[in-house]
Amino acid sequence: MSPADLLAQRSAWFPRPVASPAAGRPDPATAPLRLVCFPYAGGTVSAFRGWQEHLGDAVAVVPVQLPGRGLRLRERPFDTMTPLAEAVADALEEHGLVHDYALFGHSMGALLAYEVACVLRRRARPAPRHLFVSGSRAPHLYGDRADHALSDAGLREVIRDLGGLDDADTLGAAYFDRRLPVLRADLRACERYGWQPRPPLDCPTTAFSATEDPIATPEMVEAWRHHTTGSFLRRHLPGNHFFLNGGPSRDRLLAHLGTELDALGTTPHRKATREATWTF
């Protein structure tokens, strides 16, 4: 593989402005803080469109583009969590993004963010300044679903019930059908995941639950507290499983993220005192 091909492969994980910062956007290599963002199963970096404008210049939003989608459409998606987490950690290290960084993940992305943090800890790399998990049960509660084995119609119905599809949205339904192979691979990675007992992370953690999310109930999201010795905060927002895709709940999510990221930018990196706070 030529140097150019290798660079292109590495840059594929982090679409612009990470590979080539756009004018007026913070450069992830030099920004005070990086927020590395992982999408839900079947999702792309488009889930984080507009986040940079909301969060300001002090934070570089770094969406992760997983294989099998976007410009990586011809790549085979991972269907096992451990090698995927290792590959993401490799890419973060190669780009020099594992300093002064936070992780955000929604649904499958939350589980992946946690596993990436564990990989980086095993490699003795700096811990994330903060872990944000959204729309996801705690890692030790995975493994009780088999949606990846459903028929196309059955899987479509599950996503519709979760709020990811609208019966009247024919364009969205057609796009969904094209995404079925990568969605199944992502779901296999989650549903075959088995949490391996290990020490909790020591970074502060914020977990977001939603009022109408049947697969990440408040109790399931609250269980993330067992996976950190740092401070723990759970915020409860209105909406369904895909609340981050738009509407007032997305705005509230971004407002909460902005507040907590601003605090990270003005306080030293130190282990926080554990606390339990619920926000409704």
Side-chain angles (χ1 to χ4, degrees), residues 52-191:
Q52 186 65 70
E53 289 74 13
H54 276 82
L55 296 177
D57 294 340
V59 178
V61 176
V62 183
V64 179
Q65 187 78 292
L66 302 177
R69 60 212 89 192
L71 294 177
R72 310 186 71 182
L73 187 62
R74 290 185 172 84
E75 297 181 46
R76 183 174 181 176
F78 285 82
D79 62 1
T80 307
M81 188 61 63
T82 298
L84 175 56
E86 296 277 356
V88 172
D90 289 344
L92 289 170
E93 289 190 87
E94 288 166 358
H95 279 283
L97 297 175
V98 288
H99 64 94
D100 290 318
Y101 70 103
L103 302 176
F104 174 91
H106 184 81
S107 195
M108 169 202 171
L111 182 61
L112 178 55
Y114 164 76
E115 283 295 321
V116 168
C118 290
V119 170
L120 292 171
R121 177 178 62 180
R122 175 169 50 79
R123 298 180 183 182
R125 303 297 289 165
R129 297 283 304 278
H130 205 106
L131 173 63
F132 297 97
V133 293
S134 171
S136 172
R137 59 186 65 192
H140 63 280
L141 299 179
Y142 273 80
D144 67 339
R145 298 179 67 91
D147 294 336
H148 72 274
L150 292 172
S151 66
D152 289 356
L155 189 51
R156 193 178 298 109
E157 190 66 25
V158 167
I159 301 302
R160 181 175 291 110
D161 290 346
L162 292 175
L165 276 176
D166 187 331
D167 286 326
D169 184 2
T170 56
L171 181 62
Y175 176 78
F176 173 81
D177 288 346
R178 292 196 299 271
R179 306 309 306 146
L180 276 172
V182 73
L183 173 61
R184 288 190 188 280
D186 289 351
L187 291 176
R188 277 196 297 272
C190 293
E191 294 167 358

